[in-house]
Amino acid sequence: MSKIEELIEKLCPDGVEYKTLGELGDFYSGLTGKSKDDFKDGNANFISYMNVYKNPAINLNTDEKVRIYSNERQRKLKYGDVIFTGSSETPDECAISSVVTEIPKEDYYLNSFCFIWRLKDVTLFQPDFLKHLFRSDSLRKELIKTASGVTRFNVSKVKMAKIEVPVPPMDVQREIVEVLDNFAELTAELTAELQARRKQYEFYRDKLLTFEAPKIEWKTLNQISQNLDYKRKPITGENREKGDIPYYGASGIVDYVKNYIFDETLLLISEDGANLIARSTPIAFSVSGKSWVNNHAHVLKFNNINTHKFVEYYLNSIDLSKYISGAAQPKLNQENLNKIPIPIPPLEIQERIVEVLDNFDTICSDLGIGLPAEIEARQKQYEYYREKLLTYNLRPITILA
């Protein structure tokens, strides 16, 4: 029997008590009455939507600011507050939590797209326990059910108030936090090492792909490749015949279908979508074999595989913002795509650059080897024990090193 189980048996032999979020706390909104100008030259700390979305514990070390006037009555964040995202394009991204686990030394204000759940009795929970609890799979399933919508989903605080959460004794919470934090910290250390590798990769990539205009030939994409956009064919979800052939969109595989348009090695380039600005995934990516491509990705064919790979690396390394039109719906149309200048070093240099960058890319990205595989394994281990430790009554478990 683990120490956690012993504590459960001793402190709550009849089981861990459950209470609703409405019983335990109150909901409060973020900033109100703010315009874009208030975020240009701010005087107070501002917690953004992405800060909440990305971090189980709020990152108070932020340089994001908002203008707060002396006569304003805006709610400030407190130690122990749990913040939730209020809306998203998909229900799975609604009610993502982040907890204020440090005592704020300054005033912090929350964005208007998130809201606060504030405990009535702050002695009931350790904030670090809550950061694990609200991101557990079992509780996430309940939180997702509070969102409804069609093109955009919004969280219902009325529904959320009815969700029940466990309230284990404080000693049990401390033990659970110690176990889960150890797993999370190890994953974070490995992730930091991987990020360092990626920065090294980006440094060498940028060095290898920086060319002086007078010393090298430059051409546009339509001069060095064949554009096959005219062959693309979008099919709505309900009309796709399911199969095992990848159906590609702006940022990768969208679905799998029975038929195909292409059967060769091609370079796809995102035509539209937020990723053109955010660049969270590569905007240029290779596909081989049978494929179907919708009208959200440009399709280019090259005569030489090294030129193909060289252009892929180059496009993913440069700023393309001046070729992108539209604010609400960013778009890289074919006309602008063909204006992008591409350096064309001799083929043997292209081959060497591709070889070096392929090696770096393998180290950083291949989930079958090295750090990424270790990070994935540790993350799964953390998630496994998180579900075991946060599901009551606890069943016998053994915590492995």
Side-chain angles (χ1 to χ4, degrees):
M1 182 179 289
S2 70
K3 186 176 180 180
I4 295 172
E5 291 171 308
E6 290 175 0
L7 287 170
I8 289 280
E9 189 174 280
K10 176 183 176 181
L11 299 175
C12 40
D14 296 327
V16 173
E17 182 182 17
Y18 275 74
K19 290 188 176 182
T20 66
L21 295 184
E23 291 177 280
L24 293 166
D26 298 303
F27 295 100
Y28 299 101
S29 60
L31 286 169
T32 58
K34 289 295 172 185
S35 67
K36 290 182 180 179
D37 291 338
D38 290 316
F39 297 91
K40 292 179 180 178
D41 184 25
N43 62 344
N45 298 301
F46 172 68
I47 301 301
S48 68
Y49 181 98
M50 290 309 296
N51 193 332
V52 176
Y53 184 86
K54 290 181 177 180
N55 301 306
I58 283 291
N59 177 18
L60 296 181
N61 185 24
T62 177
D63 57 3
E64 295 181 274
K65 301 290 183 179
V66 62
R67 172 63 57 181
I68 300 293
Y69 299 94
S70 58
N71 61 343
E72 284 191 78
R73 297 184 63 184
Q74 301 280 5
R75 187 165 282 103
K76 303 168 188 175
L77 293 184
K78 292 183 179 181
Y79 176 69
D81 282 351
V82 182
I83 302 169
F84 293 97
T85 58
S87 65
S88 181
E89 293 177 358
T90 65
D92 288 351
E93 295 185 346
C94 287
I96 298 288
S97 63
S98 188
V99 184
V100 182
T101 58
E102 305 173 50
I103 298 174
K105 296 178 181 178
E106 304 176 54
D107 292 340
Y108 289 84
Y109 297 88
L110 179 64
N111 71 85
S112 59
F113 298 101
C114 296
F115 60 91
I116 302 165
W117 178 66
R118 180 168 291 168
L119 287 164
K120 297 172 183 177
D121 182 356
V122 295
T123 66
L124 287 178
F125 288 103
Q126 256 204 333
D128 282 304
F129 174 79
L130 294 176
K131 81 183 178 190
H132 297 295
L133 177 67
F134 281 105
R135 292 220 174 193
S136 64
D137 290 344
S138 54
L139 193 48
R140 283 292 308 144
K141 289 176 183 176
E142 298 305 310
L143 291 168
I144 289 169
K145 294 176 185 177
T146 68
S148 59
V150 181
T151 58
R152 191 160 189 88
F153 294 81
N154 295 285
V155 172
S156 165
K157 298 183 186 68
V158 173
K159 290 181 181 178
M160 187 177 280
K162 297 176 183 178
I163 290 178
E164 292 187 330
V165 294
V167 190
M170 192 61 73
D171 286 345
V172 174
Q173 293 184 35
R174 290 193 189 97
E175 287 297 319
I176 290 174
V177 167
E178 182 177 354
V179 171
L180 294 181
D181 275 359
N182 284 338
F183 282 119
E185 285 168 13
L186 179 56
T187 303
E189 289 171 6
L190 291 168
T191 301
E193 186 177 347
L194 179 60
Q195 288 174 343
R197 296 272 188 94
R198 284 178 173 154
K199 284 187 179 295
Q200 185 183 33
Y201 160 75
E202 290 170 3
F203 172 81
Y204 284 109
R205 181 196 65 187
D206 293 347
K207 284 286 186 183
L208 289 168
L209 296 175
T210 299
F211 302 92
E212 296 182 23
K215 296 183 179 181
I216 201 163
E217 184 180 15
W218 292 72
K219 293 184 178 181
T220 54
L221 282 171
N222 60 327
Q223 293 177 304
I224 59 174
S225 66
Q226 181 184 359
N227 189 296
L228 302 180
D229 284 3
Y230 65 94
K231 289 188 175 182
R232 301 177 303 180
K233 185 178 179 182
I235 308 177
T236 57
E238 62 271 18
N239 292 322
R240 293 176 203 152
E241 192 173 0
K242 300 299 180 183
D244 57 3
I245 295 170
Y247 177 94
Y248 289 95
S251 299
I253 297 173
V254 176
D255 202 350
Y256 289 89
V257 294
K258 187 174 182 179
N259 296 315
Y260 62 94
I261 302 174
F262 305 103
D263 188 6
E264 53 195 322
T265 298
L266 301 166
L267 182 64
L268 304 189
I269 302 170
S270 303
E271 181 169 350
D272 50 33
N275 191 51
L276 283 171
I277 303 299
R279 303 294 285 267
S280 55
T281 59
I283 68 159
F285 52 98
S286 297
V287 301
S288 294
K290 293 181 173 64
S291 64
W292 192 293
V293 184
N294 67 22
N295 60 341
H296 296 292
H298 296 292
V299 183
L300 301 185
K301 181 180 180 180
F302 293 81
N303 292 326
N304 183 283
I305 188 60
N306 285 314
T307 301
H308 169 123
K309 290 289 294 181
F310 175 82
V311 170
E312 179 180 359
Y313 280 122
Y314 184 75
L315 289 175
N316 286 326
S317 73
I318 62 173
D319 180 9
L320 296 174
S321 56
K322 66 180 179 181
Y323 302 102
I324 297 169
S325 59
Q329 294 294 331
K331 186 176 181 67
L332 175 61
N333 59 41
Q334 190 176 134
E335 181 182 357
N336 285 337
L337 180 72
N338 288 333
K339 293 177 182 177
I340 300 171
I342 307 291
I344 308 296
L347 280 175
E348 61 269 21
I349 295 178
Q350 292 182 35
E351 183 178 2
R352 179 58 182 155
I353 289 172
V354 167
E355 181 183 1
V356 172
L357 294 179
D358 275 351
N359 287 336
F360 270 113
D361 190 54
T362 297
I363 292 170
C364 294
S365 303
D366 190 344
L367 291 178
I369 63 172
L371 282 173
E374 178 69 10
I375 291 169
E376 184 179 40
R378 291 296 181 178
Q379 180 64 25
K380 287 182 178 178
Q381 194 177 31
Y382 161 74
E383 291 170 358
Y384 171 81
Y385 285 115
R386 182 186 63 193
E387 299 313 306
K388 287 286 186 182
L389 294 172
L390 297 175
T391 302
Y392 305 97
N393 285 327
L394 292 174
R395 301 190 182 279
I397 59 171
T398 301
I399 304 299
L400 303 176

